[in-house]
Each structure stands twice: as structure tokens, then as C-alpha cells.
């Protein structure tokens, strides 16, 4: 070997050891830097014509373990998803207060019925009436507040989705920029470890927003795809697009989150991800929060309905001059048809003495008023004739009203042995003639309509329905037109039409009580929501969606629409705590100020079994209001606890995955000390080889 070869070998050793020492120095300097990945200087032997000619640093790489990195990214995405869900659902749970406390929402339900029980002990006590009314109004005010706050949580989630989409776009741009830098350094044999470290940190941040799969490119840098294969980076940066919905109500239809791949292909992001913060926010916004709002609305609607059931069976003393019903969403002929049993409309004076009465008997298709035959078409005229001018019944804008003449009042009561009934409600209750709780929209959907009932909508009016898949992405928007046929059966057939309706995704079915329900095809079945409804019923003015409660949003929106009747709130003496004595003849007293039977009926309303419909994942069924409230309370608390446990478990897994990754990729001072000693010795050996070559050269020169 020549002296030049020896010198070149020694010089390469010096340069290699110096580079390795610099790498070790960088590692030691960043021992406490979060996210820093240890560098490794890979050494290789140089040879010339089969003879060793020194060493060199082939490349400086990061001590990355792809398996541990993938495990950490997956764990981070799941922790972010469950963390977002827990954070926001915990806010929803806190709205209801302590389930076992005296100030929580569910305790207010029980306090309402307790207040009416106290009123039964002294029906003439104004303070007790005011207390009962105060607690009742407080309950519905609290329900309205909670419903609005649930929507506020959904609005917050929607805003955070918008922010997360913007952050994702920024991260993708930065990652792709570092891809170019790493590729350039790799091409010229430079040190790309700094850019790779920065890129790894950005990839970790991206994984908390959407779950990703990372692969190393042969030219340097990384290629990133979603779990289902949508390309996010590696051949250019993908772009996510989303427009926030702004102010959110129960009926809000949210925009799609799109991802446009570098090649220009556009697809739904929600179909491409299964975890990450964006996924968790969407699940809370579109599934968990609406389910809670729908359950709340179902409870509040039945609390109002059961109080109204009792109040309609009662009367104040003196009886009110006028009874004005709620909007039933139908024509009068359709609404009055289908009743069975007996009911009485009585006109009383200020002392509760009956002035005149009309005894109504419903028997299948026939109706009699004081024995006079009537049909749905002429019922009002027959009733008015039998009242003899003492009171007048009329129907306008979907509301039935009965008004007494002069200073007299009107009271309605059902027969004790054969009460009037349609879809589980009596005559006065069905029309809401003496409701305690009013609402600006329909509160129940078991309206007693049949397939032969006229629907009242104008042919050609349209509603647009949206179907979404399990992941939350839009499957199809369908516009359905009101058919030429005028019956409810015709409307249901049009909705179910496979060509122009929902027949490809599921089917609507009309139950015996008039409830219209949708059952989706497949497992899991698509979710139905209402995008737009341009239908208006004559004469009530309600839409198809409102009449039948189509879509979760429509049903959930009921919760903030209930309030105590204004005249009763202003004058507690109008609270109906007495009951009409149907055995009293005309000219005898039928109402008494000391009668507290009506208060007892109001107090027992919480224990009366009602038909709860499916809502928010609950199958419903025959339950009392108090039982339903208790189950809902337990469910909300259970879901909050489960969300917390899942979040803590996911966070623990993420921490463990991160710890294992750090143990593999992080800096160990003991290892670096060993490497530093090794490289120093290698440097010294190369230096001694240089000195030996110099001595040999000097000796040779001295011999000349």
C-alpha cells in the first residue's frame, strides 16, 4: 500500500469520525427536546479495485421505528377522537345538573307533580297555585335552556370542525414542502435529518386530526393516505373543503367535508377516516348531541301532554268564558272523525250552575249531540244548535274554539265509564281546548290519521330528504312531491315510490295511531333527515315534516317550544283544579271552588303510562313520565361516564405507545456516551495513522 493510500484512508477515517461525533453532539444537545428523533450516522467501507481505501458516512438517518410510529399515530388519532367527544358530551351532561341533586333538571320534573299534590290539599290557596305554576314554568324554561345549549354545543363542534379542516390543510402543505426539501437533500447525498425530524412532528399533529397511514418514499420524504386510501400528501398536497353551518338549530343540514386529492379526485372525507379529532367532532355534532336533544324533547313533550290530559279533564271555577284549542294540523272533518265514547260540553254561570249542556256520543261513523244525529261535515252546526245560543263552537286555522255568551263559562268533561277517545286522547285533550301547556308547534305525532284521511296539502308541493351513511357522509338528496291523490295513503305511497321517493333507501309506514315512521334498508341503515320542506297544509299551515315528525331534527326542536298558557300564568285563579259533575242536571251546580280532584289528577300525571316513541336510540314504549325521566337521567350520566372512561383508556394507550416510541427513537445518554467514546477512539486511531504515514514519509525523504 502506498503512503498516499495510507494517508487517504486515515483522512477518511478522521472525516467520518468527526461527522459521527457531530451527530452524537446533536443528539446529546436535544436529549430533552420533545419530539426529537435520535440521529444515526451510518458508516460504510470504501474500496478501490477490491482493496479497502477508507470509510465514509453513507447517510445520516433517523432512528425511526415504522411499527412503533404507526402504533403511536393510530393511538393518537383515537385519543383525539374520544377526547373531543368526551369534552363536548361532558358539557351536555353538565347542563342537566346532578341527577341525584335537588337543583338538577330531572328533580324539577318530580317537583312539578309534588306541587300539584300540595295544591289538592287546599284548592283555594293562591300561594299553592302560584307555587305549582312557578315550578311548572321553571321546568319548561329549563328544558328550553338545555335544548338551546345543546345546539350551542353542536355549533361549537361545527366551528371546531372548520378550524380543524383549516389546520389540516396547513399541515399538509408544510409536510409536502418538507418532502421536496428531503428529496433534494437525498438526491445530493446531503443531511436531511433536520427536515425529517420537523416532518415527523407535523405528521404527528396531522394524525390527531385525521387517522392516516404513512409510507416512506424511495426518493425521500413520506407518502400519506387516509385509512381507506385517499391520498393526502406525497404527490402534492390534498385540500380539504368545508363551509361551517353557522347558527345551528335542530333542523340544520350540515355541509359535506370534501377532500380533493392531488390528482383532482374529489371524495367525502368522512368516508375516508375512522378516527381523529374531526371524526369525533362530527360524531358528537351529528349523532350524540342530536340523540340527547331528541330524548329531551320526547320527555318534555310527554310531560306537557300528560299535564294537558289532566287539565283538559278539569275546569277552573268559574269556568273560562272561552276555550281555544291548539293547532291540530288537520281539517276539522278529519280531526273529528275516528272518535269513540262520550263527552259533554256544559255552559255554566259564575256559581258553577249548568245553564245548558250538549252530550256528545261518538260511535264509529255516527255521532249524536243530545240525541241529534251529526256527521263530521255538519258536527259544528249540530253542536251549536244543541247549545241553543248559550255558546258557539267554531274552527279556524286548525283550531277548535268554544265561546260562551255573556258572563257564562264553558267546561268539557268525558264520561267516566265510556270516555271519548281518539289515538289515546279525549275530545277536549285531542283538540287542546283547555291545555295548561301551550306550544308553537305540534307536540305529538300519534294524531289518529288513517290512510283514508285527507292530508290537506297542495299537489306539487315538495320536500327534500337527505340520506346519510354510517360514517356521516351524504348518500343522496331526494325531492318528493305531494301527489295528486288527496289522502294520507296517497302521500305515503308517493314517499315510498322507488323511482321518485325513498323506496331505494327504506320505507315509511303509517301506524294505527297515525304515527308515520321510517325504516331504512340495510345494516347499518341510512339515516334520514329533512333538508327542505316547502309544503303547507290547509287550513292549519303546518308542513308534512311538522305533521308527522319526520326527521330527528324536527322532533328534537320541540323541546324549546313549550310554555305555560299566558292567561293562567298571569292569573293563577284560572288554573283548572275542579272537575265538572256530569250527574248534575241543567239548573244545578256542577262546579265547586273547594273541589281538588283536578289537582290530584295533575299530581298523578307523572305516574300515568304514556306511549313514548323511539327517540335518540331508545325504542320507547309504554312508560310513565317519571320512569322515562329516571331512565334518561341514568342514560345521560352513564354515557358521560363511559365517554370519560374511553377517553382515559385511549389516552393511556397513546401515552404507552409514545413512551415505547420514545424509548426506541429518543436519546439515551449512556448509549451516546459509548458512541462518543468509540468515535473519539476512531478519530485518535485515524490521527495516529496520519502521524505514522508522516513519519514514514520523513524517513523515506531522509534516506534519499
Amino acid at each position: 500500500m502506498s503512503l498516499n493510500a495510507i494517508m487517504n484512508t486515515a483522512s477518511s477515517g478522521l472525516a467520518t469520525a468527526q461527522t459521527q461525533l457531530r451527530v452524537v453532539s446533536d443528539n446529546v444537545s436535544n436529549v430533552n427536546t420533545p419530539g426529537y428523533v435520535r440521529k444515526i450516522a451510518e458508516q460504510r467501507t470504501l474500496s478501490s479495485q477490491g482493496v479497502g481505501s477508507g470509510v465514509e458516512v453513507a447517510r445520516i438517518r433517523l432512528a425511526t421505528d415504522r411499527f412503533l410510529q404507526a402504533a403511536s399515530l393510530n393511538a393518537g388519532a383515537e385519543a383525539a377522537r374520544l377526547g373531543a367527544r368526551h369534552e363536548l358530551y361532558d358539557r351536555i351532561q353538565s347542563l342537566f345538573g346532578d341527577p341525584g341533586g335537588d337543583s338538577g333538571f330531572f328533580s324539577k320534573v318530580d317537583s312539578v307533580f309534588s306541587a300539584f299534590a300540595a295544591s289538592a290539599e287546599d284548592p283555594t290557596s293562591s300561594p299553592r297555585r302560584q307555587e305549582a305554576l312557578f315550578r311548572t314554568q321553571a321546568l319548561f324554561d329549563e328544558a328550553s335552556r338545555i335544548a338551546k345549549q345543546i345546539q350551542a354545543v353542536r355549533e361549537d363542534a361545527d366551528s371546531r370542525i372548520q378550524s380543524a379542516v383549516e389546520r389540516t390543510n396547513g399541515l399538509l402543505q408544510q409536510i409536502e414542502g418538507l418532502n421536496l426539501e428531503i428529496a433534494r437533500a437525498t438526491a445530493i447525498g446531503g443531511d436531511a435529518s433536520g427536515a425529517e425530524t420537523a416532518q415527523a412532528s407535523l405528521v404527528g399533529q396531522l394524525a390527531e386530526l385525521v387517522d392516516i397511514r404513512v409510507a416512506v418514499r424511495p426518493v425521500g420524504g413520506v407518502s400519506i393516505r387516509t385509512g381507506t386510501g385517499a391520498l393526502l400528501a406525497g404527490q402534492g398536497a390534498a385540500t380539504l373543503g368545508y363551509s361551517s353551518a353557522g347558527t345551528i338549530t335542530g333542523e340544520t343540514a350540515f355541509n359535506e367535508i370534501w377532500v380533493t386529492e392531488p390528482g383532482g379526485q374529489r371524495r367525502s372525507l368522512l368516508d375516508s377516516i375512522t378516527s381523529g379529532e374531526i371524526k369525533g367532532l362530527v360524531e358528537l355534532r351529528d349523532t350524540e348531541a342530536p340523540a340527547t336533544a331528541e330524548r329531551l324533547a320526547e320527555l318534555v313533550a310527554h310531560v306537557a301532554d300528560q299535564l294537558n290530559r289532566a287539565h283538559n279533564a278539569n275546569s277552573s271555577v268559574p269556568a273560562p268564558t272561552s276555550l281555544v284549542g291548539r293547532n291540530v294540523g288537520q281539517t276539522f272533518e278529519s280531526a273529528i272523525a275516528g272518535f269513540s265514547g262520550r263527552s259533554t260540553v256544559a255552559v255554566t254561570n259564575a256559581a258553577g250552575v249548568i245553564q245548558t249542556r250538549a252530550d256528545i256520543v261518538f260511535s264509529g261513523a255516527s255521532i249524536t249531540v243530545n240525541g241529534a244525529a251529526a256527521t263530521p261535515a255538519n258536527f259544528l252546526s249540530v253542536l251549536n244548535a244543541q247549545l241553543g245560543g248559550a255558546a258557539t263552537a267554531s274552527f279556524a286555522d286548525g283550531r277548535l274554539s268554544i265561546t260562551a255568551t255573556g258572563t257564562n263559562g264553558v267546561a268539557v268533561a268525558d264520561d267516566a265509564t265510556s270516555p271519548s277517545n281518539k289515538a289515546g286522547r279525549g275530545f277536549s285533550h285531542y283538540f287542546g281546548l283547555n291545555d295548561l301547556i301551550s306550544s308553537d308547534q305540534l307536540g305529538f305525532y300519534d294524531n289518529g290519521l288513517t290512510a283514508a284521511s285527507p292530508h290537506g296539502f297542495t299537489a306539487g308541493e315538495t320536500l327534500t330528504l337527505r340520506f346519510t351513511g354510517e360514517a356521516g357522509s351524504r348518500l343522496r338528496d331526494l325531492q318528493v312531491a305531494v301527489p295528486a291523490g288527496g289522502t294520507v295513503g296517497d302521500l305515503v305511497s308517493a314517499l315510498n315510490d322507488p323511482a321518485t321517493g325513498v323506496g331505494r333507501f327504506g320505507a315509511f309506514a303509517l301506524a294505527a295511531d297515525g304515527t308515520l315512521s321510517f325504516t331504512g334498508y340495510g345494516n347499518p341503515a341510512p339515516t334520514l333527515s329533512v333538508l327542505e320542506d316547502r309544503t303547507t297544509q290547509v287550513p292549519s299551515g303546518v308542513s308534512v315534516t311538522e305533521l308527522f315528525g319526520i326527521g330527528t331534527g324536527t322532533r328534537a326542536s320541540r323541546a324549546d317550544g313549550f310554555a305555560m298558557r299566558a292567561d293562567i300564568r298571569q292569573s293563577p285563579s284560572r288554573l283548572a283544579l275542579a272537575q265538572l259533575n256530569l250527574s248534575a242536571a241543567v239548573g244545578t251546580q256542577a262546579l265547586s271552588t273547594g273541589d281538588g280532584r283536578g289537582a290530584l289528577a295533575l299530581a298523578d300525571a307523572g305516574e300515568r303510562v304514556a306511549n313514548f316513541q323511539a327517540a335518540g336510540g331508545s325504542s320507547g314504549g309504554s312508560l310513565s313520565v317519571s320512569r322515562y325521566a329516571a331512565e334518561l337521567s341514568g342514560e345521560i350520566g352513564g354515557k358521560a361516564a363511559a365517554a370519560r372512561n374511553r377517553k382515559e383508556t385511549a389516552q393511556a394507550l397513546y401515552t404507552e405507545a409514545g413512551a415505547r416510541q420514545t424509548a426506541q427513537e429518543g436519546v439515551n445518554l449512556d448509549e451516546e456516551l459509548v458512541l462518543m467514546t468509540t468515535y473519539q477512539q476512531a478519530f485518535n486511531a485515524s490521527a495516529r495513522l496520519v502521524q505514522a504515514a508522516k513519519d514514514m514519509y520523513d524517513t523515506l525523504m531522509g534516506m534519499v
Side-chain angles (χ1 to χ4, degrees), residues 155-298:
E155 187 171 343
D156 183 20
D158 192 59
S159 298
R160 288 176 59 177
I161 291 171
Q162 176 71 53
S163 176
V165 166
E166 293 173 356
R167 282 186 290 145
T168 300
N169 285 332
L171 289 170
L172 290 174
Q173 291 289 343
Q174 294 178 68
I175 290 171
E176 189 60 28
L178 289 171
N179 267 344
L180 298 176
E181 184 177 335
I182 294 169
R184 283 195 295 266
T186 302
I188 63 175
D191 182 5
S193 60
E196 289 174 338
T197 300
Q199 188 179 67
S201 176
L202 295 174
V203 169
Q205 296 177 48
L206 177 65
E208 293 185 358
L209 297 173
V210 293
D211 59 311
I212 55 176
R213 303 290 181 266
V214 181
V216 178
R217 303 191 309 172
V219 297
V222 294
S223 175
I224 300 177
R225 294 181 179 272
T226 64
T228 58
L231 182 63
L232 297 179
Q235 300 175 19
T239 302
L240 272 62
Y242 178 68
S243 177
S244 180
T247 302
I248 292 175
T249 65
E251 296 92 347
T252 298
F254 296 97
N255 298 315
E256 192 78 72
I257 307 176
W258 296 103
V259 54
T260 304
E261 297 182 68
Q265 182 178 358
R266 189 167 178 256
R267 65 173 74 183
S268 170
L269 178 69
L270 296 180
D271 283 337
S272 304
I273 61 175
T274 58
S275 193
E277 182 180 339
I278 292 178
K279 182 68 173 180
L281 292 171
V282 169
E283 289 175 336
L284 187 285
R285 183 197 67 182
D286 295 351
T287 304
E288 294 180 342
T292 303
E294 189 180 7
R295 290 293 303 277
L296 171 64
E298 187 70 7

Side-chain angles (χ1 to χ4, degrees), residues 1 45-54:
M1 179 181 289
T45 301
L46 295 176
S47 62
S48 176
Q49 298 180 353
V51 178
S53 58

Side-chain angles (χ1 to χ4, degrees), residues 4-29:
N4 285 338
I6 294 173
M7 185 62 73
N8 289 337
T9 299
S11 298
S12 68
L14 284 173
T16 299
Q18 188 174 25
T19 300
Q20 291 170 325
L21 286 170
R22 177 175 57 80
V23 169
V24 171
S25 177
D26 288 345
N27 289 339
V28 173
S29 299

Side-chain angles (χ1 to χ4, degrees), residues 77-416:
E78 187 66 5
R81 167 179 167 261
L82 295 176
R85 290 176 59 176
H86 167 259
E87 176 191 349
L88 294 178
Y89 196 83
D90 188 59
R91 283 174 54 185
I92 292 176
Q93 190 272 337
S94 67
L95 296 173
F96 291 89
D98 182 4
D102 295 333
S103 59
F105 171 76
F106 295 104
S107 66
K108 287 182 169 60
V109 177
D110 295 330
S111 71
V112 168
F113 303 118
S114 298
F116 282 116
S119 296
E121 298 175 3
D122 187 1
T124 61
S125 172
S126 180
R128 292 193 176 185
R129 286 171 175 258
Q130 291 176 340
E131 176 68 12
L133 295 179
F134 171 77
R135 292 190 181 185
T136 303
Q137 185 61 51
L139 171 66
F140 290 102
D141 287 345
E142 184 70 359
S144 177
R145 181 191 70 84
I146 293 174
K148 291 176 181 177
Q149 287 300 311
I150 290 176
Q151 300 310 320
V153 171
R154 297 182 71 201
E155 187 171 343
D156 183 20
D158 192 59
S159 298
R160 288 176 59 177
I161 291 171
Q162 176 71 53
S163 176
V165 166
E166 293 173 356
R167 282 186 290 145
T168 300
N169 285 332
L171 289 170
L172 290 174
Q173 291 289 343
Q174 294 178 68
I175 290 171
E176 189 60 28
L178 289 171
N179 267 344
L180 298 176
E181 184 177 335
I182 294 169
R184 283 195 295 266
T186 302
I188 63 175
D191 182 5
S193 60
E196 289 174 338
T197 300
Q199 188 179 67
S201 176
L202 295 174
V203 169
Q205 296 177 48
L206 177 65
E208 293 185 358
L209 297 173
V210 293
D211 59 311
I212 55 176
R213 303 290 181 266
V214 181
V216 178
R217 303 191 309 172
V219 297
V222 294
S223 175
I224 300 177
R225 294 181 179 272
T226 64
T228 58
L231 182 63
L232 297 179
Q235 300 175 19
T239 302
L240 272 62
Y242 178 68
S243 177
S244 180
T247 302
I248 292 175
T249 65
E251 296 92 347
T252 298
F254 296 97
N255 298 315
E256 192 78 72
I257 307 176
W258 296 103
V259 54
T260 304
E261 297 182 68
Q265 182 178 358
R266 189 167 178 256
R267 65 173 74 183
S268 170
L269 178 69
L270 296 180
D271 283 337
S272 304
I273 61 175
T274 58
S275 193
E277 182 180 339
I278 292 178
K279 182 68 173 180
L281 292 171
V282 169
E283 289 175 336
L284 187 285
R285 183 197 67 182
D286 295 351
T287 304
E288 294 180 342
T292 303
E294 189 180 7
R295 290 293 303 277
L296 171 64
E298 187 70 7
L299 170 62
V300 174
H302 276 82
V303 171
D305 193 45
Q306 291 306 314
L307 289 174
N308 287 339
R309 179 189 299 277
H311 202 259
N312 274 281
N314 303 339
S315 177
S316 60
V317 183
T321 302
S322 180
L323 297 178
V324 180
R326 74 169 79 90
N327 187 346
V328 294
Q330 306 170 52
T331 62
F332 181 75
E333 290 79 3
S334 176
I336 197 64
F339 273 97
S340 62
R342 300 169 177 267
S343 188
T344 296
V345 178
V347 178
T348 64
N349 62 16
V353 176
I354 296 180
Q355 305 301 298
T356 187
R357 59 186 287 172
D359 296 314
I360 308 170
V361 178
F362 299 98
S363 178
S366 65
I367 307 173
T368 62
V369 182
N370 287 344
T375 65
N378 67 0
F379 175 84
L380 289 179
S381 61
V382 174
L383 176 61
N384 287 331
Q386 294 303 314
L387 290 173
T392 302
S394 61
F395 187 85
D397 299 328
R399 301 174 187 272
L400 174 65
S401 60
I402 305 176
T403 304
T405 57
T407 59
N408 291 331
V410 182
V412 181
D414 284 336
D415 183 79

